[in-house]
Amino acid sequence: MNDLAGKHLVLGLTGGIAAYKSAELARRLQDHGATVQVVMTEGATHFITAVTMQALTGRPVFCDQWDGRQPNNMAHIDLSREADAIVIVPASTDFIAKLANGLCDDLLTTLCVARACPLLVAPAMNLQMWAHPATQRNAKRIADDGVVVLGPASGDQACGEIGSGRMLEPHEILDDVVAFFQPKLLAGRRVLVTAGPTREPIDPVRAITNHSSGKMGYAVARAAHEAGAVVTLVSGPTGLATPRGVVRIDVDTAREMHAAVMREASSNDCFVAVAAVADWHVLNASDHKLKKVAPDDSGEGEVRGLELRFAENPDILAAVAALPKPPFCVGFAAETEDLHANAEAKLARKRVQMIVGNHATDAFGRDDNALTLYDGHGRTTLERADKLVLARRLVAAIAERMAARSRLPATAAEGTR
Ligand code: CTP
């Protein structure tokens, strides 16, 4: 993924054991297309060498305010002038205290104060140091000053204690940096997403399910969060990690998904139904394991036929769209044939604002897809791409239509697409 293509980042390291994770982060930021200029405090050099960071980034590392390598001897200004952001990983207690007070006693603090770009910091420290009232005060003050504070997380610490203050993992910081650069098209909005398959039990060990991997729904949840929305994800069984910052509610059956969605729906501005919901559940599901061979009177055993009876599941999307004040509703249609006709029919039948059509062969399991959007005013094609890239384009299309709709008077907006 080239999420950070064209971005130039100053990666600042301060003195803390988590500095070893900065090496991994530098690598990942570049894998995603960023160029990385490392600046280290003197303290950081006790934990990881400048040689390591130079080898990983292919650029000389700056540590000293009086470094003469910049032609005008103005490293404290020049290094951040081309930067899209400064990212401090790890940020020590001392460094956060200096930032809170605008101190400039080394190259990195001076760079931060002299910057004209955003500043993101990932605190890393012992739990007592993080909990200290001065640190809490300083962290709040830098946040109030517009600094983006990433984490910290809670968990095992290098000192052997367990608690809050642990630095986020490099992949989490990467996700947060990527999210930071996405346009905040859904700021102030709440978005509810369903994803994955549902699983309808036959007995305690068997079930009817489908091939949905959940990748598209998870990508939509992530993209909506990146766009600034508060996101709740109601997920059927998948092996996927919850996107950062997203609240996830796990369900198994369509009826559980229906109940969870109906609890959440009216407090959301937008509902995106990506889940591949089973249309039926088994009426005569057994509460004990069905045996392949049922013993007959002689005890010999006889192969038994199995008859299942089905009852229809609630249509979750249609139920949300029928609420008195429904959120902006978006459905998916995965079809094997007649995509356009089926998608247009679903748009009308479910009375939703948008249907996202795709071919069933693309929809299940793959990492990429191609989508067509139907909104009652024509079709928009989103060309084949990675599912996260597509999800971001879809979120932009939804945000645009939601904004247009909210500009209409309330009575006109009802029932419109
Ligand atoms: N959907 C839903 N609840 C259901 C069935 C479907 O919320 N019980 C949602 C899906 O999440 C999707 C959209 O409705 O957003 C279309 O799903 P699909 O299975 O294609 O539609 P159906 O109405 O079940 O039509 P069919 O299976 O006949 O194609």
Side-chain angles (χ1 to χ4, degrees), residues 15 92-94 96 124-139 157 159 161 164-165:
S92 66
T93 319
D94 178 63
I96 291 171
M125 65 198 72
N126 163 272
L127 67 113
Q128 304 292 358
M129 294 171 88
W130 175 247
H132 193 286
T135 311
Q136 289 298 306
R137 210 164 44 235
N138 292 332
Q157 301 205 311
C159 54
E161 297 183 316
S164 191

Short mmCIF file of all heavy atoms in Angstrom, two decimals, residues 15 92-94 96 124-139 157 159 161 164-165:
data_model
loop_
_atom_site.label_atom_id
_atom_site.label_comp_id
_atom_site.label_asym_id
_atom_site.label_seq_id
_atom_site.Cartn_x
_atom_site.Cartn_y
_atom_site.Cartn_z
N GLY A 15 14.89 9.45 24.52
CA GLY A 15 15.51 8.40 25.32
C GLY A 15 14.53 7.51 26.05
O GLY A 15 13.94 7.91 27.04
N SER A 92 9.53 10.56 25.52
CA SER A 92 9.78 10.31 26.95
C SER A 92 9.03 11.32 27.82
O SER A 92 8.55 12.35 27.33
CB SER A 92 11.29 10.41 27.22
OG SER A 92 11.70 11.75 27.00
N THR A 93 8.99 11.04 29.11
CA THR A 93 8.37 11.95 30.09
C THR A 93 9.01 13.33 29.99
O THR A 93 8.32 14.36 29.94
CB THR A 93 8.61 11.41 31.52
OG1 THR A 93 8.43 10.00 31.52
CG2 THR A 93 7.70 12.07 32.54
N ASP A 94 10.34 13.33 29.95
CA ASP A 94 11.09 14.58 29.91
C ASP A 94 10.79 15.36 28.63
O ASP A 94 10.58 16.58 28.67
CB ASP A 94 12.59 14.22 29.97
CG ASP A 94 13.47 15.44 29.89
OD1 ASP A 94 13.38 16.28 30.81
OD2 ASP A 94 14.23 15.57 28.91
N ILE A 96 8.08 15.24 26.75
CA ILE A 96 6.71 15.78 26.79
C ILE A 96 6.67 17.02 27.69
O ILE A 96 6.02 18.02 27.37
CB ILE A 96 5.72 14.69 27.25
CG1 ILE A 96 5.61 13.62 26.16
CG2 ILE A 96 4.35 15.28 27.56
CD1 ILE A 96 4.85 12.38 26.57
N ALA A 124 5.95 6.93 25.80
CA ALA A 124 6.41 5.60 26.24
C ALA A 124 7.12 5.80 27.56
O ALA A 124 8.14 6.48 27.62
CB ALA A 124 7.36 5.00 25.21
N MET A 125 6.55 5.24 28.61
CA MET A 125 7.19 5.40 29.92
C MET A 125 6.59 4.43 30.93
O MET A 125 5.56 3.80 30.66
CB MET A 125 7.04 6.84 30.41
CG MET A 125 5.62 7.27 30.67
SD MET A 125 5.41 9.07 30.74
CE MET A 125 5.60 9.57 29.05
N ASN A 126 7.25 4.35 32.06
CA ASN A 126 6.77 3.55 33.18
C ASN A 126 5.40 4.07 33.64
O ASN A 126 5.12 5.26 33.52
CB ASN A 126 7.82 3.67 34.31
CG ASN A 126 7.28 3.26 35.64
OD1 ASN A 126 6.73 4.08 36.36
ND2 ASN A 126 7.40 2.00 35.95
N LEU A 127 4.57 3.16 34.15
CA LEU A 127 3.19 3.55 34.47
C LEU A 127 3.10 4.65 35.51
O LEU A 127 2.23 5.51 35.44
CB LEU A 127 2.38 2.31 34.88
CG LEU A 127 2.73 1.59 36.18
CD1 LEU A 127 1.59 1.76 37.17
CD2 LEU A 127 2.94 0.12 35.91
N GLN A 128 4.04 4.64 36.50
CA GLN A 128 4.00 5.71 37.53
C GLN A 128 4.36 7.05 36.91
O GLN A 128 3.81 8.09 37.28
CB GLN A 128 4.99 5.41 38.68
CG GLN A 128 4.80 4.07 39.34
CD GLN A 128 3.50 3.99 40.13
OE1 GLN A 128 2.75 4.97 40.21
NE2 GLN A 128 3.21 2.83 40.68
N MET A 129 5.31 7.02 35.96
CA MET A 129 5.71 8.28 35.31
C MET A 129 4.56 8.83 34.48
O MET A 129 4.32 10.03 34.44
CB MET A 129 6.95 8.04 34.43
CG MET A 129 8.18 7.67 35.23
SD MET A 129 9.54 7.16 34.18
CE MET A 129 10.33 8.72 33.84
N TRP A 130 3.82 7.92 33.80
CA TRP A 130 2.68 8.36 32.99
C TRP A 130 1.56 8.89 33.89
O TRP A 130 0.90 9.89 33.59
CB TRP A 130 2.18 7.24 32.09
CG TRP A 130 0.94 7.59 31.32
CD1 TRP A 130 -0.30 7.05 31.47
CD2 TRP A 130 0.81 8.58 30.29
NE1 TRP A 130 -1.19 7.63 30.60
CE2 TRP A 130 -0.54 8.59 29.87
CE3 TRP A 130 1.70 9.48 29.70
CZ2 TRP A 130 -1.02 9.44 28.86
CZ3 TRP A 130 1.22 10.34 28.70
CH2 TRP A 130 -0.12 10.30 28.29
N ALA A 131 1.35 8.19 35.05
CA ALA A 131 0.24 8.56 35.93
C ALA A 131 0.56 9.83 36.74
O ALA A 131 -0.34 10.45 37.31
CB ALA A 131 -0.07 7.41 36.89
N HIS A 132 1.83 10.22 36.80
CA HIS A 132 2.23 11.38 37.61
C HIS A 132 1.42 12.62 37.18
O HIS A 132 1.27 12.88 35.99
CB HIS A 132 3.73 11.65 37.44
CG HIS A 132 4.27 12.60 38.47
ND1 HIS A 132 4.02 13.96 38.43
CD2 HIS A 132 5.02 12.38 39.58
CE1 HIS A 132 4.60 14.53 39.47
NE2 HIS A 132 5.21 13.59 40.18
N PRO A 133 0.91 13.37 38.17
CA PRO A 133 0.07 14.53 37.81
C PRO A 133 0.77 15.50 36.86
O PRO A 133 0.13 16.07 35.97
CB PRO A 133 -0.21 15.21 39.16
CG PRO A 133 0.08 14.19 40.20
CD PRO A 133 1.02 13.17 39.63
N ALA A 134 2.09 15.66 37.00
CA ALA A 134 2.81 16.60 36.12
C ALA A 134 2.77 16.09 34.68
O ALA A 134 2.54 16.87 33.74
CB ALA A 134 4.25 16.77 36.59
N THR A 135 2.96 14.77 34.50
CA THR A 135 2.95 14.21 33.14
C THR A 135 1.55 14.33 32.54
O THR A 135 1.40 14.69 31.36
CB THR A 135 3.38 12.72 33.16
OG1 THR A 135 4.58 12.61 33.91
CG2 THR A 135 3.59 12.19 31.75
N GLN A 136 0.54 14.01 33.35
CA GLN A 136 -0.84 14.13 32.86
C GLN A 136 -1.16 15.56 32.44
O GLN A 136 -1.78 15.82 31.41
CB GLN A 136 -1.83 13.66 33.93
CG GLN A 136 -1.79 12.14 34.16
CD GLN A 136 -2.20 11.39 32.91
OE1 GLN A 136 -3.26 11.63 32.34
NE2 GLN A 136 -1.36 10.47 32.44
N ARG A 137 -0.67 16.51 33.29
CA ARG A 137 -0.88 17.92 32.99
C ARG A 137 -0.18 18.30 31.68
O ARG A 137 -0.75 18.95 30.82
CB ARG A 137 -0.28 18.73 34.16
CG ARG A 137 -0.94 20.03 34.45
CD ARG A 137 -0.57 20.59 35.82
NE ARG A 137 0.83 20.52 36.18
CZ ARG A 137 1.27 19.93 37.30
NH1 ARG A 137 0.43 19.35 38.14
NH2 ARG A 137 2.57 19.93 37.59
N ASN A 138 1.06 17.82 31.54
CA ASN A 138 1.84 18.14 30.34
C ASN A 138 1.22 17.51 29.08
O ASN A 138 1.17 18.14 28.02
CB ASN A 138 3.28 17.65 30.50
CG ASN A 138 4.03 18.44 31.55
OD1 ASN A 138 3.70 19.61 31.78
ND2 ASN A 138 5.02 17.83 32.20
N ALA A 139 0.74 16.26 29.22
CA ALA A 139 0.14 15.59 28.05
C ALA A 139 -1.12 16.33 27.62
O ALA A 139 -1.39 16.50 26.43
CB ALA A 139 -0.18 14.13 28.39
N GLN A 157 5.28 -3.88 30.77
CA GLN A 157 6.29 -2.83 30.55
C GLN A 157 7.68 -3.42 30.69
O GLN A 157 7.87 -4.44 31.38
CB GLN A 157 6.07 -1.70 31.54
CG GLN A 157 4.68 -1.08 31.40
CD GLN A 157 4.61 0.34 31.89
OE1 GLN A 157 5.07 0.64 32.98
NE2 GLN A 157 4.07 1.21 31.06
N CYS A 159 10.04 -2.55 32.44
CA CYS A 159 10.49 -2.60 33.83
C CYS A 159 9.88 -3.78 34.59
O CYS A 159 10.19 -3.98 35.76
CB CYS A 159 10.13 -1.29 34.52
SG CYS A 159 8.38 -0.91 34.36
N GLU A 161 6.62 -4.09 35.23
CA GLU A 161 5.30 -3.74 35.76
C GLU A 161 4.25 -3.80 34.65
O GLU A 161 4.59 -3.88 33.47
CB GLU A 161 5.35 -2.35 36.39
CG GLU A 161 6.31 -2.32 37.59
CD GLU A 161 6.37 -0.98 38.31
OE1 GLU A 161 6.43 0.07 37.66
OE2 GLU A 161 6.37 -1.01 39.54
N SER A 164 -0.58 1.40 32.29
CA SER A 164 -0.68 2.35 31.19
C SER A 164 0.62 3.13 31.06
O SER A 164 1.22 3.53 32.05
CB SER A 164 -1.85 3.29 31.47
OG SER A 164 -2.13 4.04 30.34
N GLY A 165 1.06 3.36 29.83
CA GLY A 165 2.30 4.09 29.60
C GLY A 165 3.13 3.41 28.52
O GLY A 165 4.07 3.98 27.98
#
